Amino acid sequence: MKRIAVLTSGGDAPGMNACIRSVVRACVHFNIEVFGIKRGYQGLIENDICQLSASSVANIIQYGGTILKTARSKDFMTPEGRKKAFENLKAHNIDGLVCIGGNGTYTGAMIFEQEYGIPSMGCPGTIDNDLWGTDYTIGYDTAINTAVEAIDKIRDTAESHDRIFFVEVMGRHSGHIALHAGLAGGAEGIFVPEREHELEEIVELYERKERKKEFSIFVVAEGEQEGHAYEIAKRFQDHHPETDCRVTVLGHIQRGGKPTSNDRILASRLGAHAVKALLEGHRNEAVGVISKDIVFTPFKEAIERKKDIEDNLWTLNNIITR
Ligand code: F6P
């Protein structure tokens, strides 16, 4: 293997730049030529590929977003798109890929390898932390901290006005952000897609509490089965019309901003190990960190298996909010 290319695909996540930097610096270390592909698989199809050097990635570790830009390429889902992508890779004599992103990114890399034999390694980059094969994904720690900072601010106004706030955080299919941000933000109830009957429980709890608080904060994952935060707030107010409820949807601010040191270190470890693994003959695998150790998980398994929220934290939440 002489030439490796790196791309970011899917939703951006703080720490992706640190990962790109680490991939590039590891390639330089191992005397491998390294290329950057813009806008994920779309740039591969459109031949938007440029050579990178150690200095191309100087002064980026502290920035959110991705210098390579990102996209969810519909064209790459077609055989014609992948054919074009392969031709462009071959024209650059690129032998392997490091693909930073989530489930869709892994799926693209896996199909591409099956059709054209291009070896890829994946680095888990998504704020949602919903990928199997790693304890944490790049961007998750930053997103939680952003959400907690926002919840702290909302708490001030909730208390001043004696209001009940429902704060919606990201997590299209998962409640990892909601659980961690809710616990760290001292929420009185957390709604996650992985569990049921949360509304019933918070209504029951609200009615049972002897020490009636005038204000409360509930955190709702975007993918919650009982509905979005607005619907849940409305249903809560149907039970308690006397309460003054408000909803805040945090949205994409959770995807931006300076990565935390945890995200920078995680991203740096994953990027360098992805390069090393490619050179050692690994392919079609996602790199992850489990209990502080680097692990490799076949794409197929990483895509098919669902990482549940930490049950011990869910139990803890149920204990300390009662
Ligand atoms: O990156 C994952 C995620 O943040 C989800 O939680 C969310 O639903 C989705 O991205 C939204 O992404 P976009 O606005 O880019 O479609």
Side-chain angles (χ1 to χ4, degrees), residues 40 153 155 177 184 207 306:
K153 289 178 179 164
R155 180 179 288 279
I177 297 178
E207 287 165 2
K306 170 115 181 80

Side-chain angles (χ1 to χ4, degrees), residues 201-260:
E201 282 166 21
I202 66 155
V203 170
E204 198 255 326
L205 189 66
Y206 185 81
E207 287 165 2
R208 192 156 45 85
K209 266 199 171 157
E210 288 155 21
R211 177 179 59 91
K212 274 258 180 296
K213 265 176 79 181
E214 285 91 13
F215 75 96
S216 293
I217 292 177
F218 299 108
V219 173
V220 182
E222 172 191 8
E224 164 61 24
Q225 307 166 39
E226 296 189 67
H228 282 281
Y230 279 101
E231 291 160 65
I232 290 172
K234 184 173 173 313
R235 285 167 54 201
F236 181 85
Q237 209 156 21
D238 289 344
H239 288 279
H240 284 281
E242 78 286 2
T243 56
D244 191 7
C245 292
R246 291 290 186 278
V247 174
T248 303
V249 178
L250 296 186
H252 289 80
I253 63 160
Q254 296 158 96
R255 287 243 293 255
K258 263 177 167 318
T260 59

Side-chain angles (χ1 to χ4, degrees), residues 278-289:
L278 273 178
L279 299 182
E280 286 167 356
H282 286 257
R283 59 205 287 145
N284 254 341
E285 289 172 339
V287 194
V289 173

Side-chain angles (χ1 to χ4, degrees), residues 10-12 72 125-128 170-173 177 222 252 255:
D12 67 334
R72 294 187 175 94
T126 164
I127 65 163
D128 289 350
M170 274 189 165
R172 194 174 6 195
H173 305 296
I177 297 178
E222 172 191 8
H252 289 80
R255 287 243 293 255

Side-chain angles (χ1 to χ4, degrees), residues 15 17 46 53 112 114 131 233 235 237 251 259 263 316:
N17 280 327
E46 293 170 12
S53 66
F112 200 46
Q114 283 161 1
L131 289 176
R235 285 167 54 201
Q237 209 156 21
D263 271 332
L316 172 69

Side-chain angles (χ1 to χ4, degrees), residues 149-166:
E149 208 182 315
I151 292 167
D152 287 348
K153 289 178 179 164
I154 289 166
R155 180 179 288 279
D156 290 346
T157 193
E159 184 173 17
S160 304
H161 286 266
D162 292 339
R163 282 177 178 163
I164 294 181
F165 268 85
F166 290 82

